Amino acid sequence: MKTLYLAATLALATAGNGIAWASAPAAAPSSQAELTVTFEQIEIPEGQILLSLYDNEAAHDANGKPVRGAMAKVEGQAVSVRFEGLAPGRYAIKAFHDVDGDGKMKTNPFGMPLEPFAFSNNARPEGGPARWKGASFDVPAGASETRIAIQ
Amino acid sequence: MNRRDLLIGGGLAALGTLVPATARAAAAVARPDWTLGVTDILDDIAPRSLQRIHGRAPDLAGTLYRNGPARFRRGDSASGHWFDGDGLVRAWQLRGNEARLAARFVDTPKRRLEEKLGRIVQPGFGTLQQPGAIVGSSDDTNAANTHVIKAGNRLLALWEAGSATALDPASLETQGQVTFRDDLKHMPFLAHPRIEPDGRIWNIGSGGAAVYVWRLSKHGAFEAGEAVKLPMASYIHDFTATARHLVILCQPWIAGAMKLPFSKSLTWQPELGSKVLVLDKDDLSKASVFDLPPLSFFHLGDAWEEKDGTIRFDGCFHKDVTFAVEGAPGLVEGRYVHVERPELNLVALHPDGRATLTPAGITAEFPRSAPELAGLPRSATVHVGGYTGDRPFARSVGSWDWVKGRHDSFDFGARHLVEEFVPAGQHHLIGTTLNLDAKATELHLFDARRIADGPVASWRSDVALPLSFHGSWVTA
């Protein structure tokens, strides 16, 4: 089973890497979407949450390039991140709580993840990151919110 | 395979939806009697006295702790492999002529989830995951069902691909999965640690082409750990050790791309042969590799080093992996594939780099030897055996002497399924059998020097427990 867990780790360890952090378009036309992602049930009020936002199944399930990434400093039991200027459509999120703040998923010597992680819809891991089928959700035009328990 | 096997096994499973429930119930009644060895236990076994049915016990006090899978089915769902049932830890307590039994399931995340759902959903060695499975780490699938040792003031229920689980030795209550150090959480800890006579514990955890080597104190505290590369990405259930070396036998059953269940990730590649990696306990970078013919195995005996540097150890070797891939899953279905022929062999690793195999000429499994001689020269290997081919599981207990070439054994007969026996004190062996006529598990004590004479004392419980894998005698 090790290979599968390793794959899970790699996917999570790169969450939020290699993409532009800023997500503020000049003006948001009314046809655009604004998504607030709230992480809750955080057990350790330290470090940061790194997350990747995907807009298609292929990139999501193949651990490919996310459409956006973000980082949120953790100071309590919940924290929110807002994405603006999104095209309305279907999205999914992979996130991990970088408790020690080193920017990486902490792993054991065989690469298994040791920091809390979570997926949109609170989709459950099944020996690897949750799949698009279970984690994706609709983001309509205008403002919307999704909540993710990360523990 | 005869018609009856076909009806009971795969044939019935395939036809299941076409056969009326009453017909299926009738077929279920016709399951072969040995399937009592893979029956389900639904609840913990409350402490109870055993009935002494034979002989008188010597002055011996202690507990035989044993572990093995004991829950394979929930509703319409079932484990796909003998190795995937929930671990039930049994305590067979002996004080003179009085014997008692208590048993508790290890309270694992897997068992908790499946109790809640009323279904078997978690993937395993040979079990496919089902809807509702939650696998955040290997420990979510940890069945804690393979071995139990005492380390310090707690028991460790051992599995293979994840953490040890700590239990209270008196109540058998689960204390939780053990993290020896924060950054080592979820690391695999094999079910077959090698324990030096002074109590220090060596173990490995398998990770494809590497193993993690664990060193624990005699109290079970973490002392050191290090990852070591293997000659090939072999499936590893067991390893062995001399006083100075770790000996890792790599069979040509090779882990490739991950598939579920886990056993499907492994491919049998006999053309690679087998390799033996020998590591210096004091410096794991000092390694040597020996070549052996292709062989398949689960269990090895303790190793020792002779004056000229020759390392010897025994093993129970199969010709190929048919038993693991087809035989063991079939057992849960009540289907017997005639492939369980483990042969006892002695491996010698010579100082000139050659490796040789010497067969004892008997079938044997679950090799054990005196704990006070672990890693030191010895001649006797305790084992079960008498695999006949007409049904699965062992029917005899024995001791093979490698120096004299002598076999001392006792055949319990066709009506007992024989479990592992272990040395108890200097002169005795203790172990259990499942009596198919009494439909009850029995505890037997032998004089280790006169096994053929039969048990010196036997006790019978009032429950039929499915067969366990491994255990430890802990002196009171």
Side-chain angles (χ1 to χ4, degrees), chain B residues 268-353:
Chain B
W268 177 243
Q269 300 178 41
E271 68 278 9
L272 297 177
S274 303
K275 294 190 185 298
V276 191
L277 176 66
V278 177
L279 301 170
D280 186 325
K281 281 179 174 174
D282 292 331
D283 179 356
L284 298 180
S285 70
K286 287 186 186 162
S288 47
V289 177
F290 297 79
D291 290 304
L292 279 175
L295 53 86
S296 158
F297 78 102
F298 284 99
H299 300 121
L300 304 176
D302 283 319
W304 70 91
E305 183 182 15
E306 294 175 348
K307 286 200 183 75
D308 69 352
T310 302
I311 291 173
R312 296 187 200 271
F313 61 94
D314 33 24
C316 303
F317 298 152
H318 296 258
K319 282 194 287 293
D320 57 34
V321 291
T322 319
F323 172 72
V325 175
E326 294 174 25
L331 298 178
V332 178
E333 302 164 18
R335 193 164 47 81
Y336 180 47
V337 182
H338 296 240
V339 288
E340 197 189 22
R341 302 287 294 177
E343 291 175 356
L344 186 63
N345 277 266
L346 188 66
V347 178
L349 309 176
H350 301 280
D352 64 3

Side-chain angles (χ1 to χ4, degrees), chain A residues 63-84:
Chain A
N63 302 320
K65 192 174 157 58
V67 62
R68 297 276 184 93
M71 182 174 73
K73 201 164 164 51
V74 173
E75 291 171 330
Q77 291 182 332
V79 64
S80 293
V81 175
R82 199 170 60 178
F83 292 103
E84 296 174 342

Side-chain angles (χ1 to χ4, degrees), chain A residues 9-73:
Chain A
T9 308
L10 292 175
L12 289 160
T14 56
N17 286 354
I19 37 187
W21 296 110
S23 60
S30 59
S31 65
Q32 291 195 337
E34 179 188 304
L35 172 66
T36 301
V37 183
T38 298
F39 294 95
E40 53 196 6
Q41 297 176 40
I42 296 170
E43 287 178 349
I44 306 165
E46 293 167 16
Q48 57 201 2
I49 286 174
L50 297 183
L51 66 146
S52 294
L53 179 72
Y54 291 86
D55 67 353
N56 70 85
E57 179 172 2
H60 181 271
D61 286 355
N63 302 320
K65 192 174 157 58
V67 62
R68 297 276 184 93
M71 182 174 73
K73 201 164 164 51

Side-chain angles (χ1 to χ4, degrees), chain A residues 117-135:
Chain A
F117 56 86
F119 310 99
S120 42
N121 294 343
N122 289 321
R124 295 293 198 167
E126 294 179 27
R131 310 288 289 177
W132 175 265
K133 194 178 165 201

Side-chain angles (χ1 to χ4, degrees), chain B residues 40-298:
Chain B
D40 283 327
I41 295 294
L42 302 185
D43 296 303
D44 292 343
I45 306 293
R48 68 211 39 219
S49 293
L50 305 182
Q51 178 201 355
R52 184 157 50 95
I53 53 174
H54 164 78
R56 292 194 64 79
D59 184 21
L60 196 63
T63 304
L64 174 66
Y65 291 104
R66 298 199 47 78
N67 193 0
R71 185 70 191 265
F72 303 96
R73 305 158 193 90
R74 293 176 187 276
D76 289 337
S77 62
S79 296
H81 202 287
W82 187 27
F83 302 167
D84 291 335
D86 290 339
L88 178 76
V89 171
R90 308 120 207 240
W92 300 88
Q93 202 175 36
L94 185 62
R95 185 173 294 278
N97 283 313
E98 301 303 312
R100 293 174 65 77
L101 165 69
R104 279 179 92 156
F105 279 100
V106 186
D107 184 18
T108 59
K110 163 181 153 59
R111 180 169 167 82
R112 239 172 285 156
L113 174 68
E114 293 178 344
E115 283 268 291
K116 190 175 81 183
L117 298 175
R119 284 180 291 124
I120 308 273
V121 297
Q122 295 292 77
F125 183 83
T127 303
L128 269 172
Q129 74 180 52
Q130 301 297 329
I134 299 175
V135 188
S137 82
S138 51
D139 278 327
D140 287 337
T141 68
N142 191 333
N145 64 1
T146 312
H147 194 1
V148 55
I149 63 168
K150 182 129 187 277
N153 55 8
R154 59 189 184 179
L155 299 179
L156 298 179
L158 304 176
W159 187 53
E160 179 164 298
S163 303
T165 305
L167 312 179
D168 181 277
S171 68
L172 304 180
E173 185 175 9
T174 299
Q175 296 170 338
Q177 292 177 340
V178 179
T179 299
F180 287 105
R181 203 175 65 191
D182 276 356
D183 63 317
L184 299 175
K185 196 173 185 182
H186 304 316
M187 282 295 283
F189 190 87
L190 286 196
H192 291 284
R194 292 286 158 184
I195 304 174
E196 294 179 352
D198 73 357
R200 172 172 278 164
I201 298 168
W202 291 86
N203 201 3
I204 62 176
S206 172
V211 290
Y212 189 80
V213 175
W214 299 90
R215 197 182 90 207
L216 309 182
S217 74
K218 66 177 178 182
H219 303 296
F222 180 80
E223 285 186 341
E226 192 178 322
V228 173
K229 200 172 175 309
L230 293 178
M232 51 194 191
S234 300
Y235 169 74
I236 296 182
H237 176 80
D238 192 3
F239 76 111
T240 187
T242 72
R244 297 198 304 133
H245 311 94
L246 305 179
V247 180
I248 303 173
L249 173 53
C250 297
Q251 58 190 319
W253 199 20
I254 307 294
M258 179 61 198
K259 288 179 192 159
L260 287 174
F262 176 66
S263 59
K264 300 279 187 230
S265 312
L266 302 167
T267 52
W268 177 243
Q269 300 178 41
E271 68 278 9
L272 297 177
S274 303
K275 294 190 185 298
V276 191
L277 176 66
V278 177
L279 301 170
D280 186 325
K281 281 179 174 174
D282 292 331
D283 179 356
L284 298 180
S285 70
K286 287 186 186 162
S288 47
V289 177
F290 297 79
D291 290 304
L292 279 175
L295 53 86
S296 158
F297 78 102
F298 284 99

